[in-house]
């Protein structure tokens, strides 16, 4: 069974959090490029996204 579809910006927010622990609202993410390819029989999706923040403070 496959996972339900997820919006590109929501996927970008999830991946950003998983990889960096940064929390960004979905409305601050603009996905501007997406590539789908197959390597060794594995489907891959690569996205490029711009994240806009007004200000930030390191923790």
């Amino acid at each position: 069974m496959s996972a339900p579809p997820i919006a590109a910006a929501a996927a970008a927010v999830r991946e950003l959090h998983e990889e960096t622990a940064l929390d960004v609202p979905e409305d601050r993410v603009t996905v501007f490029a997406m590539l789908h390819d197959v390597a060794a029989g594995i489907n891959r999706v690569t996205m490029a996204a711009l994240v806009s923040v007004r200000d930030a403070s390191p923790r």
Side-chain angles (χ1 to χ4, degrees), residues 4-16:
I6 183 169
V13 167
R14 184 192 69 222
E15 289 297 322
L16 181 66

Side-chain angles (χ1 to χ4, degrees), residues 33-57:
M34 189 179 317
L35 169 69
H36 173 255
D37 68 342
V38 179
I42 298 172
N43 287 303
R44 303 183 305 177
V45 176
T46 302
M47 293 187 293
L50 174 67
V51 176
S52 301
V53 293
R54 293 198 174 117
D55 63 46
S57 299

Side-chain angles (χ1 to χ4, degrees), residues 16-40:
L16 181 66
H17 180 74
E18 287 177 2
E19 298 296 328
T20 67
L22 294 174
D23 290 314
V24 176
E26 191 175 325
D27 65 343
R28 305 301 293 168
V29 176
T30 302
V31 176
F32 61 87
M34 189 179 317
L35 169 69
H36 173 255
D37 68 342
V38 179

